[in-house]
């Protein structure tokens, strides 16, 4: 624990002075200083409790005592690199493999989701001898150079980025807003055919496909759930071209979807990726991650003649923590909780869709859900400013939620797995109240809603929790701003 407790302003001043300006902070106009957390709750320096609806890193709950104890006990005994024999490494690898299809049997332990995805690309390049990568629009796979190249979520926002000619972007399989929607007779095949066409185009130019990489459920892309059968068909096209399939489970693995331990399993038992990458929830906040692949891919990687070594990957402390996380998931039936509470949350959100014209779509699995806000359900006009207003208003009521997607209009639920039905009730009740007030301010027609005092909203410019600008129509209605803090204007960087 830090020897001194700084005043919040001093902490913020030092951050501005010493931390890179591109390292954004949530709610930059009035950031929260968090000093401790437990379960699904976080606490600021004044002891105020916040309900955490977004932290998919603290998977089994913030500071879970079993996880903390496992790490501390192992740290008292030994922490060294994986070039020494140690039981924790092999026992943990065995535990992980038990959750996966049999052919995914070889593990490489690293320290972050970015490292895992970067290594997955190296494995694919070495195994296939090919270079070209197919990724999905709005995908995010990490922050290292190789992954920015395959993360349209990032490079679409950088006007001066030179696109990697060996990276090819397929449409996101979004059946709500995408190219092929829910009314299409076979969206899975239609989206898979887009990948097939990309492969054909690559071959015509003399290239060869090394891999297709996709988040099993797109998170930053707006909580997108691929249509059933999509991955199977894509894998068939990619493997026929000599490439392999990489499933990125960094945000959605370890039981979050409820019905299955891994989100790629939602596609069916007949689908097995060639590589699976893991991160974030694997260590409940401890920096660790893993790449799991087939024996064939691993042996091809070894044949390059280059040893693979990672100083901290697979160290005894990390593996002890990883095993404790698996133990807690099982002991506390957190996968079952994700299924039950996730279904309850989805039902509550669906009722909001019936009630509020601002709600365009509800989608998700388990404790991974999204509510997309639109100004017009036919035109699907993104309600970006309104989504940011919901986020800020929830924060004022001590609930932490985020908005994302290409238009930043999708409210994202990905809380710790101990999130309860009561938590869901409270959050949705607050969202209901906020949406009612927003719709009254916008003059949108409401159905079956009670009269709620209209406190807000007169704001020419709203700013999202990442510091991005978004223009609002809310100011056009001349409603009171009493009790609602004004957002300061900040340039997007």
């Amino acid at each position: 624990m830090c020897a001194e407790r700084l005043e919040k302003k001093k902490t913020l001043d030092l951050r501005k002075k010493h931390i890179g300006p591109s390292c954004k902070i949530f709610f930059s106009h009035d950031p929260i200083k968090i000093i401790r957390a437990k379960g699904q709750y976080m606490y600021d320096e004044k002891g105020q409790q916040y309900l955490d609806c977004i932290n998919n890193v603290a998977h089994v709950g913030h500071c879970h005592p079993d996880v903390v104890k496992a790490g501390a006990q192992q740290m008292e005994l030994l922490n060294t690199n994986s070039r020494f024999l140690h039981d924790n490494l092999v026992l943990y690898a065995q535990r992980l493999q038990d959750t996966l299809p049999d052919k995914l049997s070889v593990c490489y332990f690293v320290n972050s989701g970015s490292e895992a995805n970067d290594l997955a690309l190296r494995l694919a390049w070495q195994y296939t001898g090919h270079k070209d990568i197919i990724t999905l629009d709005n995908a995010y796979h990490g922050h290292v150079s190789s992954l920015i190249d395959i993360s349209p979520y990032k490079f679409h926002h950088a006007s001066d980025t030179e696109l990697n000619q060996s990276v090819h972007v397929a449409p996101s399989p979004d059946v709500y807003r995408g190219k092929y929607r829910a009314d299409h007779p076979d969206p899975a095949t239609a989206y898979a055919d887009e990948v097939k066409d990309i492969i054909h185009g690559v071959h015509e130019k003399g290239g060869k496909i090394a891999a297709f990489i996709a988040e099993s459920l797109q998170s930053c892309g707006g909580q997108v759930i691929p249509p059933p059968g999509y991955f199977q068909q894509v894998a068939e096209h990619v493997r026929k071209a000599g490439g392999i399939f990489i499933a990125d489970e960094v945000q959605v693995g370890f039981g979050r979807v409820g019905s299955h331990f891994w989100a790629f399993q939602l596609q069916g038992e007949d689908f097995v990726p060639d590589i699976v990458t893991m991160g974030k929830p694997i260590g409940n906040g401890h920096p660790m991650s893993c790449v799991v692949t087939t024996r064939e891919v691993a042996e091809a990687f070894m044949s390059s003649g280059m040893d693979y070594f990672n100083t901290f990957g697979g160290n005894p402390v990390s593996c002890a923590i990883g095993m404790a996380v698996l133990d807690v998931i099982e002991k506390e039936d957190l996968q079952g909780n994700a299924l039950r509470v996730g279904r309850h949350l989805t039902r509550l959100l669906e009722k909001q869709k019936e009630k509020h014209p601002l709600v365009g779509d509800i989608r998700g699995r388990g404790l991974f859900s999204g509510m997309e806000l639109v100004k017009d359900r036919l035109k699907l006009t993104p309600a970006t400013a309104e989504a940011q207003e919901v986020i800020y208003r929830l924060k004022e009521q001590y609930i932490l939620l985020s908005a994302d997607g290409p238009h930043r209009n999708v409210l994202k639920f990905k809380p710790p797995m101990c999130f309860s039905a009561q938590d869901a009730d409270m959050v949705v009740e607050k969202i209901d109240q906020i949406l009612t007030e927003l719709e009254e301010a916008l003059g949108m027609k409401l159905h079956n809603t009670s009269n709620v005092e209209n406190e807000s909203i007169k704001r020419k410019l709203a700013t999202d929790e990442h510091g991005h600008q978004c223009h609002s129509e809310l100011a056009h209605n001349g409603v009171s701003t009493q009790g609602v803090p004004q957002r300061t204007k900040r340039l997007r960087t």
Side-chain angles (χ1 to χ4, degrees), residues 66-80 86 88 283 285-288 312 315-324:
D66 292 7
V67 178
V68 173
K69 182 179 178 181
Q73 287 182 339
Q74 182 56 54
M75 198 174 291
E76 288 179 343
L77 293 173
L78 171 71
N79 198 23
T80 187
H86 196 277
N88 284 8
H286 180 79
M288 64 183 298
F312 299 109
N315 69 74
V317 171
S318 293
C319 291
I321 288 172
M323 284 192 281

Side-chain angles (χ1 to χ4, degrees), residues 129-185:
H130 304 165
K131 191 65 178 176
D132 290 77
I133 303 293
I134 301 174
T135 187
L136 291 177
D137 199 12
N138 305 319
Y140 175 65
H141 294 290
H143 61 76
V144 301
S145 297
S146 66
L147 303 178
I148 294 296
D149 283 349
I150 63 168
S151 297
Y153 177 80
K154 285 293 186 183
F155 67 65
H156 280 344
H157 297 307
S159 58
D160 58 346
T161 299
E162 184 176 344
L163 301 183
N164 187 326
Q165 297 304 302
S166 64
V167 174
H168 314 276
V169 180
S172 169
D174 181 352
V175 297
Y176 177 68
R177 181 179 289 279
K179 187 174 182 179
Y180 309 106
R181 299 182 179 177
D183 59 354
H184 190 281

Side-chain angles (χ1 to χ4, degrees), residues 119-380:
L119 177 56
L121 294 182
R122 289 181 59 190
L123 290 168
W125 289 325
Q126 179 63 33
Y127 175 71
T128 64
H130 304 165
K131 191 65 178 176
D132 290 77
I133 303 293
I134 301 174
T135 187
L136 291 177
D137 199 12
N138 305 319
Y140 175 65
H141 294 290
H143 61 76
V144 301
S145 297
S146 66
L147 303 178
I148 294 296
D149 283 349
I150 63 168
S151 297
Y153 177 80
K154 285 293 186 183
F155 67 65
H156 280 344
H157 297 307
S159 58
D160 58 346
T161 299
E162 184 176 344
L163 301 183
N164 187 326
Q165 297 304 302
S166 64
V167 174
H168 314 276
V169 180
S172 169
D174 181 352
V175 297
Y176 177 68
R177 181 179 289 279
K179 187 174 182 179
Y180 309 106
R181 299 182 179 177
D183 59 354
H184 190 281
D186 188 359
T189 297
Y191 279 117
D193 283 347
E194 293 281 341
V195 176
K196 185 179 180 180
D197 290 343
I198 288 174
I199 294 171
H200 180 70
V202 169
H203 288 173
E204 281 191 332
K205 294 180 180 179
K208 293 183 178 180
I209 302 299
F212 172 91
I213 184 169
E215 301 156 88
S216 299
L217 305 175
Q218 279 193 302
S219 181
C220 293
Q223 309 296 84
V224 175
I225 314 297
Y230 171 67
F231 281 174
Q232 286 92 329
Q233 294 184 64
V234 168
E236 182 179 351
H237 297 323
V238 170
R239 288 165 180 161
K240 186 177 179 180
I244 62 176
F245 193 110
I246 302 170
D248 179 343
E249 291 271 336
V250 170
Q251 301 226 44
V252 293
F254 292 89
R256 177 164 292 280
V257 299
S259 58
H260 298 81
F261 201 77
W262 302 107
F264 73 79
Q265 294 171 322
L266 291 168
Q267 291 279 311
E269 293 183 4
D270 60 333
F271 173 68
V272 180
D274 301 289
I275 297 175
V276 174
T277 60
M278 310 167 188
K280 293 189 189 300
I282 193 172
N284 210 56
H286 180 79
M288 64 183 298
S289 59
C290 186
V291 179
V292 185
T293 189
T294 64
R295 175 61 57 185
E296 293 78 14
V297 171
E299 288 179 351
F301 190 53
M302 184 178 66
S303 71
S304 69
M306 183 186 298
D307 290 341
Y308 182 77
F309 173 62
N310 187 299
T311 303
F312 299 109
N315 69 74
V317 171
S318 293
C319 291
I321 288 172
M323 284 192 281
V325 170
L326 294 179
D327 288 341
V328 172
I329 292 172
E330 182 176 350
K331 181 177 71 173
E332 299 183 5
D333 188 27
L334 293 183
Q335 183 179 336
N337 187 68
L339 181 63
R340 293 184 294 273
V341 176
R343 285 176 174 170
H344 178 64
L345 175 61
T346 298
R347 285 193 294 268
L348 294 175
L349 295 176
E350 287 287 357
K351 289 180 181 178
Q352 298 304 302
K353 181 181 175 182
E354 295 171 4
K355 182 177 181 180
H356 294 289
L358 268 173
V359 180
D361 191 41
I362 303 298
R363 52 184 178 264
R365 298 291 185 274
L367 286 176
F368 180 86
S369 299
M371 171 187 272
E372 180 154 356
L373 301 188
V374 295
K375 297 176 185 176
D376 187 308
R377 287 187 177 180
L378 293 178
K379 297 178 181 178
L380 304 189

Side-chain angles (χ1 to χ4, degrees), residues 23-62:
C23 299
K24 295 300 180 183
I25 190 169
F26 283 137
F27 309 107
S28 54
H29 79 286
D30 182 24
I32 306 168
K33 182 174 180 178
I34 297 296
I35 63 168
R36 66 184 179 92
K38 185 176 180 61
Q40 65 270 50
Y41 301 105
M42 304 176 77
Y43 300 85
D44 68 14
E45 79 282 7
K46 297 178 181 179
Q48 177 60 55
Q49 176 180 285
Y50 290 81
L51 176 62
D52 183 359
C53 301
I54 58 177
N55 207 314
N56 61 340
V57 179
H59 191 65
V60 300
H62 290 278

